[in-house]
Amino acid sequence: MRKIIRGPLPAPLPLACLTFTIAPLMMAATPARANDPAPSAVPAASAAASAADTAAEEQDSPTSVGTGAHDRGNEIFVTARRRQESSQEVPLAISVVGGEHIDSTGSFNVGRLQQLTPTLQFYSSNPRNTAVNIRGLGVPFGLTNDGIEQGVGIYVDDVYNSRVASATFDFLDVAQIEVLRGPQGTLYGKNTTAGAINITTNQPTFDFEGKAEVSIGNYNFKQAKAAISGPLTDRLAARLAISSTSRKGTIYNVVTGEHIQGQDNLGLRGQLLWKPTDNLDITLAGDFSAQDANCCGSVYVRTGLTQRALNRQFEALAAAQGYAPPSRNAFDRLTDLDTDLRAKNKIGGASLRVKWDLGEGSLTSISAWRFWDWDPSNDRDFTGLPIVALSQNPSQQDQYTQELRYNYSSDKIDFVVGAFGFYQRIDTQGTEAHGAASSRWNINPGSDTVVPPGSSGCGPTAAQQLACNPATLNGLTAYNTQYLKNTSAALFGQLSWHITPELTIQPGVRLNYDKKEGYYLRQVFDSAGNPVLTTGPASAIKTAQLAIFTPQEISPEFSDWNFSYDFTASYKVAPDVLVYATYAKSFKSGGINQNGVPTDTQNNPILAAATVKPEDVDHYELGIKSQFWDRRATLNLSIFRTDIKNYQANVNNGQFGVLRGYLANAGAVRSQGVEADFSVRPSERFNLYANGAYTDATYRRFSDAPCPPELSGGTTVTGTQTPGAAGVPNSLSPANCNISGQRLPGVSKWSFSFGAEVNNPATLFGKEGEVYFGYDGSYRSNFSSNPSPSAYTWVDGYSLSNFRLGFRAESGFDIYGWVRNAFDQNYFDQLFVGPGNTGLIAGLPGDPRTWGLTVRYGF
């Protein structure tokens, strides 16, 4: 029986937001008690019965916590440093989100989690092209390249997920999520230089328990979740969880009559816990997730003038073929993409975790295999014209990891030492083809004359005839074959030495080895199936075809050792006030350009561009964690600065040609800022939180960056020629641009999350409980949606408001109505520069107002 706490607050809840982003999170988290095991641990079988009896009296029960947290009068515990400890005792910038808060706010994947954690950035045009960054750092903004590492590590029950696509799946039976900010290489298996997202799922229990939840809403939203756990024998327990989400898309395709950008997700997770002895836990886990939505597309947003000839820009090219977008207002949410859209995505795997308690220390082994199958189809021209008829790059990944860790704790010393091994194999088979509208769109007829629709010819010149003949490029097809072998190994460790009860110093080290071997082959064929080669006799048709697709074959390789270290000193100024300072030196592994490299004037690959150097990271941080008013209030602050040399940047190509994008090293990047969190809970009936971050993330030195669209498309300058003004047609274009001092893409200078909840005792359907009303809001200022900031791709700042009203009973019953983006704010998740330097800007609108009802029951 669950018991709702009445009367005076037994003990204020120390919120879990470390250096900032967590007030709601903390309040949302279901706190572990001081005598409870870490979220990933399970009580010994012999102790299970007594633990169950205690839990029956004190089981998570809703109180005044606005974010749906449950008060047991104790602290929130985390495992960020690979051991269980109070979040306020950890000298680390960390955000903690409880599983219940994830459910009650509809934050069922990382994309929605960013509304609760202001320094987390998430961008996804489709599952493969997904970026998860912290403080503006992690992976380059734009097209995904398999040849580099992600700077933000995603871990589920200690298992590293190497593909960011895993972030697009629904959270499944989650206990809590910790977002660690800053380099984490001396604690975590993979050397994640920007931070880590540590997801802990609910573990098998030796008490029978279960929960179920059903939600319905507009846009035909349907979501169901269920989990059940219990003993199979006195030494063997099992847990099974399932989740299903579906929703009609929010964009209507006038060509196909279908809604796109929908959701169709299924997730399964099963776990077996065997305790042959009281000090040995062996957990076997398996999971599978699938997505099969009608996805992913875009809408027309605007056009902006480039330096191309005026007759080669979007409006003239569209008029020449009698084309107009279905709407000039992006928030009509209409598109006319004429290529089949597909985003089939499957991720799963199995893991074996062995934890042996040795008294003061414990030995942990995690062996895991994971797979990822990606089957896409995209419309790469962003229009309803058959320019790009086919664009798809399906891939298959297998990854194997082995981590061995020893943790030791005593009054004076705590430490963790570990070894980590990683192997990954990715195979990709790409197909790209152009359609009947490609010739007129892509071939310059050499005249400013705009050819009327239906005209039989452009004029007497060969270029004009080529441009007006659909057969020139129609059916031109490129087949891409590539693979990647990625091997990594590391030794790491971190020591906490408690010099006095107040003063602790914490050094950490990491020795890392990385090796990448790649292969890329592009073969090009005309509509008759004849190979199009860079060798042999030249012709006007062949030149036009090679400008679209250029054959290429490369075998890039990279390998290197690096040594990382960090040092943290923390001091307890008072029992509830901790100050700390950190310096970290880390490296992000070098990489290879797995999607091809630029070519020279003879169409030969520039092999010097096949590899990118490692990022060299220097990180500094100061923080204070404090609680006051009998721990009813929490205030945490941190300031940070991260300097990166040889930052791995994404370079976008303005043409359809050999490359959509490739990697290059920017000279230097800096991210610095301030993070703050405040939360207060004056009584069990009310709580309030506010989190904020100021992030100044800029290129400090990038003098040879790709130019934005307004400085592209014209004839490239040579010698002493002077480039033309931005956005002036028929101008000379610079070969590259100096964007030093400009902001990194995807980063808002200001971001906030805030909210509150109030409740009151009530009776409904004969059940005693409480009625509650909650609000969660977020705000972020404008950000650039292009690797090189462009006047055409700034996304305006926006604010979102979410409300919920419901009743929860002491029996475990909970029913509530919710509305998200309550004021129907129009905003963009991302903007895209159309190919070909035509000035087309497409975009992905954020979700409109959604509303629904959720019913939940747990026992």
Side-chain angles (χ1 to χ4, degrees):
M1 174 68 71
R2 295 158 61 101
K3 182 175 73 174
I4 298 242
I5 301 174
R6 305 293 187 195
L9 194 64
L13 179 65
L15 302 180
C17 93
L18 313 183
T19 53
F20 150 64
T21 295
I22 294 237
L25 317 179
M26 327 176 183
M27 295 189 286
T30 301
R33 297 184 302 166
N35 60 349
D36 282 347
S40 59
V42 179
S46 59
S50 60
D53 294 339
T54 303
E57 295 300 319
E58 299 183 285
Q59 186 70 22
D60 302 343
S61 52
T63 65
S64 61
V65 177
T67 49
H70 293 163
D71 173 32
R72 288 193 273 180
N74 291 282
E75 297 177 304
I76 292 176
F77 279 70
V78 297
T79 57
R81 293 195 295 179
R82 301 306 197 185
R83 56 182 178 269
Q84 180 195 357
E85 54 194 335
S86 166
S87 63
Q88 288 295 110
E89 301 291 325
V90 180
L92 172 69
I94 178 174
S95 304
V96 184
V97 190
E100 183 174 339
H101 191 48
I102 290 169
D103 293 336
S104 64
T105 58
S107 305
F108 53 80
N109 60 27
V110 174
R112 293 195 173 189
L113 184 64
Q114 72 169 339
Q115 294 182 23
L116 302 176
T117 56
T119 51
L120 180 68
Q121 295 95 30
F122 175 91
Y123 304 99
S124 180
S125 57
N126 60 47
R128 184 176 188 273
N129 290 320
T130 297
V132 178
N133 288 347
I134 292 174
R135 296 169 171 171
L137 306 175
V139 291
F141 186 93
L143 296 170
T144 297
N145 193 311
D146 294 328
I148 65 165
E149 310 292 338
Q150 60 193 53
V152 176
I154 299 175
Y155 296 83
V156 180
D157 290 338
D158 288 341
V159 176
Y160 175 69
N161 287 250
S162 63
R163 302 301 294 271
V164 183
S166 61
T168 65
F169 282 102
D170 294 356
F171 296 140
L172 181 58
D173 197 23
V174 168
Q176 76 177 30
I177 298 175
E178 302 163 16
V179 181
L180 289 68
R181 305 191 291 278
Q184 304 298 324
T186 64
L187 272 174
Y188 282 75
K190 201 67 175 156
N191 190 13
T192 46
T193 55
I197 299 174
N198 188 24
I199 301 171
T200 302
T201 69
N202 291 306
Q203 299 296 293
T205 61
F206 285 91
D207 303 302
F208 186 64
E209 64 178 38
K211 59 182 180 179
E213 173 185 311
V214 176
S215 299
I216 57 173
N218 62 339
Y219 290 94
N220 292 332
F221 175 75
K222 296 183 286 290
Q223 187 175 70
K225 301 178 181 180
I228 190 167
S229 180
L232 300 180
T233 70
D234 61 348
R235 292 288 177 180
L236 185 66
R239 187 177 190 95
L240 180 65
I242 185 171
S243 172
S244 175
T245 303
S246 65
R247 191 189 73 177
K248 184 176 71 174
T250 57
I251 297 173
Y252 181 71
N253 191 323
V254 299
V255 172
T256 64
E258 298 177 323
H259 286 84
I260 66 171
Q261 305 303 112
Q263 295 172 346
D264 186 2
N265 303 346
L266 174 67
L268 299 167
R269 173 179 289 273
Q271 299 179 81
L272 284 173
L273 169 66
W274 180 38
K275 293 187 65 67
T277 65
D278 289 349
N279 61 352
L280 181 61
D281 294 356
I282 301 175
T283 304
L284 177 65
D287 67 279
F288 173 80
S289 296
Q291 293 175 328
D292 188 13
N294 189 359
C295 186
C296 299
S298 60
V299 300
Y300 171 92
V301 176
R302 65 175 72 97
T303 57
L305 288 175
T306 71
Q307 293 179 323
R308 246 186 166 195
L310 192 60
N311 71 317
R312 306 299 303 146
Q313 304 215 26
F314 178 84
E315 300 298 347
L317 290 169
Q321 302 202 48
Y323 173 75
S327 174
R328 296 275 177 167
N329 180 358
F331 296 104
D332 287 341
R333 300 177 185 273
L334 298 177
T335 192
D336 60 351
L337 302 179
D338 60 332
T339 299
D340 289 339
L341 300 179
R342 185 171 66 251
K344 292 187 177 182
N345 197 20
K346 296 179 182 179
I347 289 182
S351 66
L352 180 67
R353 184 175 67 240
V354 180
K355 184 175 181 180
W356 185 15
D357 187 351
L358 302 175
E360 289 185 327
S362 63
L363 186 64
T364 303
S365 170
I366 306 105
S367 308
W369 160 73
R370 300 207 55 78
F371 74 88
W372 181 55
D373 291 338
W374 169 234
D375 182 12
S377 179
N378 307 302
D379 193 325
R380 235 204 97 209
D381 57 52
F382 303 143
T383 73
L385 288 170
I387 302 170
V388 178
L390 187 64
S391 178
Q392 55 189 42
N393 286 276
S395 66
Q396 307 82 41
Q397 173 203 266
D398 283 286
Q399 122 183 3
Y400 303 88
T401 56
Q402 174 62 55
E403 185 167 351
L404 188 64
R405 237 180 15 241
Y406 178 73
N407 293 66
Y408 175 86
S409 294
S410 68
D411 292 339
K412 277 291 185 180
I413 290 177
D414 304 316
F415 69 81
V416 55
V417 293
F420 177 77
F422 169 84
Y423 177 77
Q424 174 189 44
R425 167 84 187 221
I426 303 175
D427 290 278
T428 302
Q429 313 82 34
T431 306
E432 299 176 73
H434 275 233
S438 180
S439 297
R440 186 169 291 184
W441 194 270
N442 289 297
I443 299 175
N444 187 353
S447 169
D448 288 340
T449 303
V450 177
V451 181
S455 168
S456 60
C458 293
T461 69
Q464 290 170 338
Q465 293 299 317
L466 285 174
C468 286
N469 182 3
T472 304
L473 297 181
N474 188 24
L476 181 70
T477 303
Y479 297 100
N480 308 320
T481 301
Q482 57 182 284
Y483 69 76
L484 171 71
K485 299 177 183 178
N486 186 0
T487 304
S488 180
L491 299 173
F492 59 93
Q494 190 177 94
L495 169 71
S496 294
W497 178 22
H498 311 295
I499 298 175
T500 71
E502 295 79 22
L503 177 63
T504 299
I505 61 172
Q506 179 182 286
V509 295
R510 178 189 186 88
L511 179 64
N512 201 82
Y513 173 75
D514 291 285
K515 181 178 181 180
K516 295 179 175 68
E517 300 173 89
Y519 177 74
Y520 175 84
L521 172 66
R522 167 170 282 193
Q523 297 173 295
V524 182
F525 298 89
D526 63 19
S527 59
N530 301 310
V532 180
L533 305 174
T534 57
T535 58
S539 68
I541 291 179
K542 182 177 177 179
T543 299
Q545 292 172 338
L546 288 174
I548 300 299
F549 295 136
T550 306
Q552 186 173 118
E553 183 175 14
I554 60 173
S555 299
E557 291 188 9
F558 172 87
S559 63
D560 196 18
W561 291 84
N562 61 64
F563 179 71
S564 304
Y565 54 91
D566 55 43
F567 184 85
T568 298
S570 61
Y571 187 79
K572 274 209 162 188
V573 178
D576 291 323
V577 180
L578 177 74
V579 296
Y580 67 91
T582 295
Y583 168 73
K585 179 72 171 181
S586 64
F587 295 87
K588 181 180 171 184
S589 168
I592 59 177
N593 269 306
Q594 190 60 22
N595 300 331
V597 297
T599 57
D600 60 21
T601 54
Q602 286 76 44
N603 284 322
N604 297 315
I606 302 174
L607 296 180
T611 60
V612 288
K613 299 175 184 177
E615 291 183 353
D616 185 335
V617 182
D618 289 283
H619 175 76
Y620 313 84
E621 186 153 345
L622 295 173
I624 180 171
K625 298 184 176 184
S626 65
Q627 293 180 307
F628 49 95
W629 194 12
D630 291 332
R631 293 188 174 180
R632 289 180 173 86
T634 295
L635 176 63
N636 294 331
L637 301 170
S638 67
I639 60 174
F640 66 90
R641 173 169 169 161
T642 304
D643 293 304
I644 302 179
K645 298 176 184 176
N646 294 320
Y647 176 79
Q648 295 167 356
N650 193 60
V651 175
N652 287 341
N653 190 347
Q655 300 299 326
F656 279 109
V658 61
L659 290 175
R660 294 172 60 186
Y662 61 97
L663 295 169
N665 290 109
V669 157
R670 182 187 68 202
S671 177
Q672 60 186 6
V674 181
E675 303 167 335
D677 161 76
F678 174 72
S679 58
V680 61
R681 186 182 180 196
S683 76
E684 64 173 289
R685 300 292 165 224
F686 177 74
N687 74 80
L688 174 75
Y689 70 87
N691 307 319
Y694 171 78
T695 306
D696 175 27
T698 57
Y699 297 104
R700 303 316 301 159
R701 189 172 67 256
F702 199 4
S703 58
D704 55 350
C707 292
E710 58 266 37
L711 285 169
S712 302
T715 301
T716 303
V717 299
T718 59
T720 60
Q721 291 178 316
T722 301
V728 176
N730 288 305
S731 296
L732 293 173
S733 294
N736 46 56
C737 288
N738 186 348
I739 60 173
S740 302
Q742 298 194 48
R743 203 188 313 175
L744 289 179
V747 184
S748 297
K749 280 195 173 183
W750 296 96
S751 54
F752 299 93
S753 63
F754 37 84
E757 185 180 287
V758 60
N759 68 76
N760 198 60
T763 301
L764 182 67
F765 305 134
K767 299 179 181 292
E768 290 189 6
E770 58 192 20
V771 62
Y772 59 93
F773 175 76
Y775 167 77
D776 294 282
S778 63
Y779 167 79
R780 63 180 306 185
S781 61
N782 71 344
F783 62 92
S784 169
S785 191
N786 195 55
S788 294
S790 166
Y792 307 142
T793 58
W794 282 97
V795 174
D796 292 336
Y798 58 88
S799 180
L800 302 177
S801 293
N802 306 325
F803 296 91
R804 60 188 181 278
L805 174 65
F807 171 83
R808 53 193 171 215
E810 57 188 56
S811 62
F813 174 76
D814 190 359
I815 181 171
Y816 62 96
W818 45 266
V819 56
R820 297 174 187 132
N821 189 8
F823 303 113
D824 205 19
Q825 171 78 58
N826 287 331
Y827 67 100
F828 289 106
D829 283 329
Q830 204 170 342
L831 296 177
F832 314 105
V833 176
N837 290 318
T838 66
L840 172 63
I841 305 298
L844 180 60
D847 280 352
R849 179 193 297 119
T850 57
W851 47 266
L853 178 72
T854 296
V855 180
R856 182 185 303 153
Y857 182 71
F859 60 89

